[in-house]
Amino acid sequence: MTKTAVLAGAYLHHLAFESSKPARLAAFYGAAMDMVVTQLSQSDWRCEGPGRRLLVGLGTDKQMGYAGFACRDKAGLTALRLRAQQEDLDILDSPSPYFQSGAFALRDPNGQILCFGVAQPAPPCLAGLPGPVQHLTFAATDVEAFVAFYQGKLGFSLTDRVVQDDGGLATAFVTSNHEHHTLACFKSDRNGMDHHSYEAGDWAYIRDWCDHFATQDIQLAWGPGRHGPGNNLFVFITDPDGNWIEVSAELEVIYDRGAVDWPHHPRTLNKWGCAMMRS
C-alpha cells in the first residue's frame, strides 16, 4: 500500500474553527496561544504565531471548519490528488487562503473537511513562544472507518492502535510525515473534534507555556503527563468554547517500524497519572 500522504511530506499547517462568539475566541487564542490577532470582517478573524495559524468564523461552537495540510512541494500535492481521484473521492474546492493555486479539499467519512496544498510563502517569522500547530485529533463512533479512509485511501501511515478487550479500536494514530501522528481518532458516542495540539519541542518549553498560561489566569485542565503512544509530554487547557488545546513536547519521530498495539487502559493514555478516558 503506497504511503502517498507520507511521501508528500504533508503536515498540519493551519486550522479553521467556527464559534458563536468568534471575537471572544480569537481574543483568547491571541492571549493564551501567543498569537497576533487580525480582524478580517465583522465575523471573521485570523490568529497567527510562529508556525501556528488559526482562522475563526461565525458558526457553531466546537465545530471545525476545516484543517489545512501543507505538502512539501507540488509534486507531492499532485500525487496526493491523483491518489484521491483513483480512490473515487469527491474533490472539493479548497477554502484555504494560505495555499497556492492547485489546492483541493476532501470530506472524510464523518464530514470533516481537510484541505491539501502547497503553502504560500511565509511572512517574516513572528516572535513568540515556540509551538507550531502539529496534530489534530477527532472523536468518532467508528475508528475503523477513520483508519480505512486515511490509511487506505490517502496513504497516511498507521503508527499505533489502542485495542479494546473485544478487539475493536479505541484509538488510532496516523501520520503523514516523520512525526508519530499528525491525525488521531478516539472512539466516542459523537463525531467531531477531540483536541488540537501544538508541539513545543522540549520539556523546558512546556514549563514556559505553563508559566505563560499562569500570567493569563488560565488553569491546566489536564497534565503534566506523558502519553504512551507517541511518548510525548503534554498539558491541556480549554478555550472559551470548550475546545481542548494540547501543548506537547518530545513527540516520537518515526523512521521505519510497524504499528504497535496498546491496551485500552488509563496508563496507555497517561503513564504518569490520571487519564481522561474517552470510552
Side-chain angles (χ1 to χ4, degrees):
M1 184 181 298
T2 303
K3 297 179 179 180
T4 310
V6 179
L7 293 174
Y11 62 96
L12 186 59
H13 184 270
H14 60 278
L15 293 165
F17 284 178
E18 294 182 7
S19 175
S20 62
K21 298 179 179 178
R24 181 188 68 170
L25 190 64
F28 175 86
Y29 277 89
M33 299 310 299
D34 199 15
M35 303 166 92
V36 176
V37 178
T38 304
Q39 185 172 5
L40 303 176
S41 70
Q42 186 173 357
S43 59
D44 293 286
W45 303 76
R46 181 177 63 208
C47 309
E48 296 180 315
R52 49 189 181 269
R53 306 158 192 87
L54 180 69
L55 298 165
V56 181
L58 184 63
T60 304
D61 290 348
K62 299 183 68 174
Q63 178 68 42
M64 186 183 81
Y66 58 87
F69 275 77
C71 295
R72 182 186 301 112
D73 52 33
K74 289 187 177 180
L77 177 64
T78 298
L80 193 55
R81 185 181 187 118
L82 179 60
R83 172 72 179 271
Q85 291 170 334
Q86 292 172 339
E87 297 289 348
D88 293 324
L89 301 179
D90 290 334
I91 307 296
L92 309 175
D93 292 336
S94 169
S96 173
Y98 284 110
F99 289 154
Q100 300 176 25
S101 63
F104 68 96
L106 301 169
R107 193 181 298 273
D108 79 1
N110 291 326
Q112 306 291 341
I113 295 176
L114 271 71
C115 305
F116 296 92
V118 175
Q120 298 276 7
C125 184
L126 296 169
L129 285 166
V133 63
Q134 191 275 324
H135 74 257
L136 173 65
T137 299
F138 295 129
T141 58
D142 189 342
V143 180
E144 286 81 0
F146 166 87
V147 174
F149 181 82
Y150 286 102
Q151 181 189 33
K153 294 187 178 297
L154 294 180
F156 281 67
S157 179
L158 179 67
T159 55
D160 280 328
R161 297 171 289 215
V162 178
V163 183
Q164 297 174 312
D165 291 341
D166 62 4
L169 290 183
T171 317
F173 300 85
V174 299
T175 188
S176 50
N177 53 47
H178 62 282
E179 297 171 307
H180 177 269
H181 59 286
T182 50
L183 280 173
C185 184
F186 284 101
K187 188 173 182 63
S188 176
D189 59 0
R190 66 180 182 89
N191 294 315
M193 287 192 303
D194 184 89
H195 70 271
H196 67 290
S197 182
Y198 301 82
E199 176 59 31
D202 183 87
W203 171 247
Y205 288 126
I206 285 191
R207 174 204 62 197
D208 295 346
W209 273 105
C210 290
D211 285 341
H212 169 71
F213 295 148
T215 68
Q216 303 296 320
D217 198 24
I218 298 170
Q219 295 186 347
L220 300 183
W222 184 27
R226 184 186 288 278
H227 293 314
N231 198 42
N232 50 313
L233 304 156
F234 68 86
V235 293
F236 276 70
I237 62 171
T238 306
D239 75 21
D241 286 358
N243 298 300
W244 284 349
I245 302 166
E246 179 183 31
V247 177
S248 170
E250 302 177 15
L251 182 67
E252 180 185 359
V253 173
I254 299 293
Y255 291 103
D256 185 16
R257 70 161 175 83
V260 175
D261 286 345
W262 297 76
H264 187 221
H265 186 277
R267 293 290 75 75
T268 293
L269 196 56
N270 186 6
K271 294 180 177 181
W272 288 1
C274 68
M276 295 175 68
M277 301 296 286
R278 277 59 160 194
S279 60

Short mmCIF file of all heavy atoms in Angstrom, two decimals, residues 152-180:
data_model
loop_
_atom_site.label_atom_id
_atom_site.label_comp_id
_atom_site.label_asym_id
_atom_site.label_seq_id
_atom_site.Cartn_x
_atom_site.Cartn_y
_atom_site.Cartn_z
N GLY A 152 -6.08 3.83 4.11
CA GLY A 152 -6.42 3.07 2.92
C GLY A 152 -6.61 3.91 1.67
O GLY A 152 -6.28 3.46 0.57
N LYS A 153 -7.13 5.11 1.82
CA LYS A 153 -7.47 5.91 0.64
C LYS A 153 -6.51 7.08 0.39
O LYS A 153 -6.40 7.54 -0.75
CB LYS A 153 -8.90 6.42 0.73
CG LYS A 153 -9.93 5.29 0.68
CD LYS A 153 -11.34 5.82 0.59
CE LYS A 153 -12.36 4.69 0.49
NZ LYS A 153 -12.19 3.88 -0.74
N LEU A 154 -5.82 7.56 1.44
CA LEU A 154 -4.93 8.72 1.24
C LEU A 154 -3.46 8.38 1.48
O LEU A 154 -2.59 9.19 1.15
CB LEU A 154 -5.34 9.87 2.17
CG LEU A 154 -6.70 10.50 1.87
CD1 LEU A 154 -6.99 11.62 2.86
CD2 LEU A 154 -6.76 11.03 0.45
N GLY A 155 -3.17 7.23 2.04
CA GLY A 155 -1.78 6.85 2.21
C GLY A 155 -1.09 7.46 3.42
O GLY A 155 0.12 7.66 3.41
N PHE A 156 -1.87 7.76 4.48
CA PHE A 156 -1.25 8.04 5.78
C PHE A 156 -0.70 6.72 6.31
O PHE A 156 -1.14 5.64 5.92
CB PHE A 156 -2.28 8.59 6.76
CG PHE A 156 -2.62 10.05 6.59
CD1 PHE A 156 -3.28 10.50 5.45
CD2 PHE A 156 -2.30 10.97 7.58
CE1 PHE A 156 -3.61 11.85 5.30
CE2 PHE A 156 -2.63 12.32 7.44
CZ PHE A 156 -3.28 12.75 6.29
N SER A 157 0.26 6.80 7.22
CA SER A 157 0.84 5.60 7.82
C SER A 157 0.26 5.38 9.21
O SER A 157 0.25 6.30 10.03
CB SER A 157 2.37 5.74 7.90
OG SER A 157 2.95 4.60 8.50
N LEU A 158 -0.22 4.17 9.47
CA LEU A 158 -0.75 3.81 10.79
C LEU A 158 0.43 3.52 11.71
O LEU A 158 1.26 2.66 11.42
CB LEU A 158 -1.66 2.60 10.68
CG LEU A 158 -2.27 2.08 11.98
CD1 LEU A 158 -3.26 3.09 12.55
CD2 LEU A 158 -2.98 0.74 11.72
N THR A 159 0.52 4.23 12.84
CA THR A 159 1.66 4.07 13.74
C THR A 159 1.32 3.31 15.01
O THR A 159 2.11 2.50 15.47
CB THR A 159 2.26 5.44 14.11
OG1 THR A 159 1.24 6.28 14.67
CG2 THR A 159 2.86 6.11 12.88
N ASP A 160 0.17 3.59 15.61
CA ASP A 160 -0.23 2.92 16.84
C ASP A 160 -1.73 2.74 16.89
O ASP A 160 -2.48 3.55 16.32
CB ASP A 160 0.21 3.71 18.08
CG ASP A 160 1.67 3.51 18.44
OD1 ASP A 160 2.21 2.41 18.20
OD2 ASP A 160 2.30 4.46 18.94
N ARG A 161 -2.16 1.69 17.61
CA ARG A 161 -3.58 1.42 17.85
C ARG A 161 -3.77 1.16 19.33
O ARG A 161 -2.92 0.51 19.96
CB ARG A 161 -4.06 0.21 17.06
CG ARG A 161 -3.98 0.36 15.55
CD ARG A 161 -4.26 -0.93 14.84
NE ARG A 161 -3.15 -1.88 15.02
CZ ARG A 161 -2.76 -2.75 14.09
NH1 ARG A 161 -3.36 -2.80 12.93
NH2 ARG A 161 -1.76 -3.57 14.34
N VAL A 162 -4.88 1.61 19.87
CA VAL A 162 -5.31 1.22 21.21
C VAL A 162 -6.49 0.29 21.02
O VAL A 162 -7.50 0.68 20.41
CB VAL A 162 -5.69 2.44 22.07
CG1 VAL A 162 -6.17 1.99 23.45
CG2 VAL A 162 -4.50 3.39 22.21
N VAL A 163 -6.35 -0.94 21.53
CA VAL A 163 -7.30 -2.01 21.21
C VAL A 163 -8.13 -2.36 22.43
O VAL A 163 -7.60 -2.58 23.52
CB VAL A 163 -6.55 -3.26 20.71
CG1 VAL A 163 -7.54 -4.35 20.30
CG2 VAL A 163 -5.64 -2.90 19.52
N GLN A 164 -9.44 -2.39 22.26
CA GLN A 164 -10.35 -2.75 23.33
C GLN A 164 -10.32 -4.26 23.57
O GLN A 164 -9.80 -5.04 22.76
CB GLN A 164 -11.77 -2.30 22.98
CG GLN A 164 -11.92 -0.79 22.85
CD GLN A 164 -13.28 -0.38 22.36
OE1 GLN A 164 -13.79 -0.94 21.39
NE2 GLN A 164 -13.89 0.59 23.02
N ASP A 165 -10.91 -4.69 24.68
CA ASP A 165 -10.92 -6.12 25.03
C ASP A 165 -11.61 -6.96 23.98
O ASP A 165 -11.25 -8.13 23.77
CB ASP A 165 -11.60 -6.32 26.39
CG ASP A 165 -10.79 -5.75 27.55
OD1 ASP A 165 -9.57 -5.54 27.36
OD2 ASP A 165 -11.38 -5.52 28.62
N ASP A 166 -12.60 -6.39 23.29
CA ASP A 166 -13.32 -7.14 22.26
C ASP A 166 -12.61 -7.10 20.91
O ASP A 166 -13.14 -7.64 19.92
CB ASP A 166 -14.75 -6.63 22.12
CG ASP A 166 -14.82 -5.16 21.67
OD1 ASP A 166 -13.77 -4.56 21.38
OD2 ASP A 166 -15.95 -4.63 21.59
N GLY A 167 -11.43 -6.47 20.84
CA GLY A 167 -10.67 -6.40 19.60
C GLY A 167 -10.94 -5.16 18.77
O GLY A 167 -10.23 -4.89 17.79
N GLY A 168 -11.95 -4.38 19.14
CA GLY A 168 -12.24 -3.15 18.42
C GLY A 168 -11.24 -2.06 18.74
O GLY A 168 -10.52 -2.12 19.75
N LEU A 169 -11.20 -1.05 17.89
CA LEU A 169 -10.26 0.05 18.09
C LEU A 169 -10.85 1.12 18.99
O LEU A 169 -11.95 1.65 18.73
CB LEU A 169 -9.86 0.66 16.75
CG LEU A 169 -8.99 -0.18 15.82
CD1 LEU A 169 -8.63 0.62 14.58
CD2 LEU A 169 -7.74 -0.64 16.54
N ALA A 170 -10.11 1.47 20.05
CA ALA A 170 -10.48 2.60 20.90
C ALA A 170 -9.84 3.88 20.38
O ALA A 170 -10.43 4.96 20.49
CB ALA A 170 -10.06 2.34 22.33
N THR A 171 -8.63 3.75 19.84
CA THR A 171 -7.90 4.91 19.33
C THR A 171 -6.99 4.46 18.20
O THR A 171 -6.49 3.33 18.21
CB THR A 171 -7.01 5.54 20.43
OG1 THR A 171 -7.74 5.61 21.66
CG2 THR A 171 -6.54 6.93 20.04
N ALA A 172 -6.78 5.34 17.23
CA ALA A 172 -5.82 5.08 16.15
C ALA A 172 -5.02 6.34 15.88
O ALA A 172 -5.56 7.45 15.96
CB ALA A 172 -6.53 4.62 14.89
N PHE A 173 -3.74 6.15 15.59
CA PHE A 173 -2.82 7.25 15.30
C PHE A 173 -2.26 7.05 13.90
O PHE A 173 -1.73 5.97 13.58
CB PHE A 173 -1.68 7.28 16.31
CG PHE A 173 -2.11 7.47 17.74
CD1 PHE A 173 -2.50 6.37 18.51
CD2 PHE A 173 -2.14 8.73 18.31
CE1 PHE A 173 -2.91 6.53 19.82
CE2 PHE A 173 -2.55 8.90 19.63
CZ PHE A 173 -2.93 7.79 20.39
N VAL A 174 -2.34 8.08 13.06
CA VAL A 174 -1.78 8.01 11.71
C VAL A 174 -0.91 9.23 11.48
O VAL A 174 -1.11 10.29 12.09
CB VAL A 174 -2.88 7.91 10.63
CG1 VAL A 174 -3.72 6.65 10.81
CG2 VAL A 174 -3.75 9.15 10.61
N THR A 175 0.06 9.08 10.57
CA THR A 175 0.96 10.19 10.28
C THR A 175 1.12 10.38 8.78
O THR A 175 0.95 9.43 7.99
CB THR A 175 2.34 9.97 10.94
OG1 THR A 175 3.12 11.17 10.79
CG2 THR A 175 3.09 8.80 10.31
N SER A 176 1.44 11.61 8.41
CA SER A 176 1.70 11.94 7.00
C SER A 176 3.12 12.46 6.82
O SER A 176 3.43 13.05 5.80
CB SER A 176 0.69 12.99 6.52
OG SER A 176 0.63 14.08 7.43
N ASN A 177 3.99 12.22 7.82
CA ASN A 177 5.40 12.59 7.71
C ASN A 177 6.21 11.79 8.72
O ASN A 177 5.85 10.65 9.01
CB ASN A 177 5.59 14.11 7.88
CG ASN A 177 4.96 14.66 9.14
OD1 ASN A 177 5.12 14.09 10.23
ND2 ASN A 177 4.24 15.76 9.03
N HIS A 178 7.28 12.33 9.26
CA HIS A 178 8.16 11.60 10.16
C HIS A 178 7.70 11.64 11.61
O HIS A 178 8.26 10.94 12.45
CB HIS A 178 9.57 12.21 10.10
CG HIS A 178 9.61 13.64 10.52
ND1 HIS A 178 9.20 14.67 9.68
CD2 HIS A 178 9.98 14.24 11.69
CE1 HIS A 178 9.32 15.83 10.32
NE2 HIS A 178 9.78 15.60 11.54
N GLU A 179 6.69 12.46 11.93
CA GLU A 179 6.21 12.58 13.31
C GLU A 179 5.25 11.44 13.64
O GLU A 179 4.57 10.92 12.76
CB GLU A 179 5.54 13.93 13.51
CG GLU A 179 6.49 15.10 13.30
CD GLU A 179 5.78 16.43 13.28
OE1 GLU A 179 4.82 16.57 12.51
OE2 GLU A 179 6.20 17.33 14.01
N HIS A 180 5.19 11.08 14.92
CA HIS A 180 4.40 9.92 15.33
C HIS A 180 2.97 9.98 14.83
O HIS A 180 2.42 8.98 14.35
CB HIS A 180 4.40 9.78 16.85
CG HIS A 180 3.57 8.65 17.34
ND1 HIS A 180 2.23 8.78 17.68
CD2 HIS A 180 3.87 7.34 17.53
CE1 HIS A 180 1.74 7.62 18.07
NE2 HIS A 180 2.72 6.73 17.99
#
